Amino acid sequence: MTEEGQIHTEKGQATAKAPVIRQKIDDRLIRWIGIPCFGLIIPNLTGLFGELSFADALYWLGYLYFIGLSFSIWMGNRWLLFQQRKHWNWFMQPIQKLLILVSANVFYTFPLTVAWLSGWYLFREVAIDWDAIFAVTLMNVICVIFVTHAYETVFLIKEREGDALRLANNERARALAELEALKNQVDPHFMFNSLNTLSHLIEENPERALQFNEKLADVYRYILMSKGRNLVWLQEELAFLKNYIFLLQLRFGDSLIMNNALPQSADSNFLIPPISLQMLAENAIKHNEFDNSHPMLLELTLHGSLLTFSNPKSPKKTSGSSTQKGLLNLGERFKLLTEKEIEIRAEGENFEVTLPLLSAS
């Protein structure tokens, strides 16, 4: 049956109060092999059978007797090992750990072996061979130390695996927390701009305001549906972007143009973090001047698994310096979800952002 050792993972003064992490090992196979082997081999190597031969019933009974000794030594030292692991740690108390480990092995194995072997000679009603008892006792102590070392090695390997798993889980939890925080930063900003736009249209064109309100409902329905998703299909994101651009075109008219040059086959082959393209469109509108004579052309192109969003540069003269918080957030989201960086190019007449998409195949 699987047994558990207990390992402390605390550091410094927190050692006594830190939770104990249990490491499991399944040593049933090695016990089934090791205990009988020691019981069969040791008496033959040390002459404990004396003049007994295969024809003697006591010879075969002796094997059962020595297997019983092997079982008692193995299981007793195993129990002591698991008990001391509850209180001492190799990394925090190496000297105490070593002393306790060796002392437990010696002071349990030595008297048990001497008493058990003495009983064997008394049962046979022959003189006690102290040389044989000394040889067997020494051999048992050496074997116990070796087996205990093997157990400790397995436990240390398990500890390292457990540490690596805990670090990976902690890193994943941190990344998900950061991602959720970044996603939450997008929605309020978008809502603020949408309400401002709706307020403007209600005053100037109620009919357009009604159209805007219907599309706005579609847009926020997508935002709510995407709230619990880290990735969406590219076709879903493009449909959302189309509705968002429609809302902007109700306000800006022909001064805003959207050119989607992506092949249709790409829609169902790639995944993208939600609300990514909308943020880039919002960024272009926010920081650039445009009108009917100099329209804002938002263009999407695809090269392999890299999607490029570009717009002409015509910075607003009255706007302050950009904090690029939106782009920083977008970059962090892609880094956490795709383990790749977005690429931003501001040279020349266009501003371009290239996003690494995740392939669904």
Side-chain angles (χ1 to χ4, degrees), residues 135-149:
V136 175
T137 302
L138 180 62
M139 186 178 298
N140 283 352
V141 169
I142 293 174
C143 289
V144 165
I145 292 175
F146 173 80
V147 172
T148 301
H149 172 74

Side-chain angles (χ1 to χ4, degrees), residues 59-76:
Y59 178 88
W60 300 104
L61 185 62
Y63 276 126
L64 295 178
Y65 188 81
F66 293 121
I67 289 175
L69 173 61
S70 177
F71 177 85
S72 300
I73 291 174
W74 191 299
M75 297 304 295

Side-chain angles (χ1 to χ4, degrees), residues 286-343:
K286 179 180 178 181
H287 297 292
N288 292 282
E289 290 184 346
F290 55 95
D291 53 32
N292 289 344
S293 59
H294 298 89
M296 171 60 62
L297 174 62
L298 306 178
E299 190 165 16
L300 291 173
T301 56
L302 185 69
H303 302 281
S305 62
L306 299 177
L307 187 153
T308 298
F309 186 103
S310 64
N311 62 268
K313 290 193 305 181
S314 53
K316 292 182 178 179
K317 299 181 177 61
T318 57
S319 64
S321 59
S322 172
T323 62
Q324 293 194 332
K325 183 178 180 180
L327 290 176
L328 290 174
N329 286 347
L330 185 66
E332 287 298 317
R333 291 175 65 200
F334 270 83
K335 188 187 300 183
L336 291 170
L337 291 170
T338 69
E339 298 182 353
K340 296 179 181 179
E341 304 274 356
I342 69 172
E343 184 178 349

Side-chain angles (χ1 to χ4, degrees), residues 8-19 92:
H8 293 277
T9 57
E10 56 278 7
K11 294 184 179 180
Q13 296 179 351
T15 301
K17 297 182 180 180
M92 304 304 299

Side-chain angles (χ1 to χ4, degrees), residues 10 72 119-120 132 154 344:
E10 56 278 7
S72 300
W120 167 250
V154 172
I344 301 173

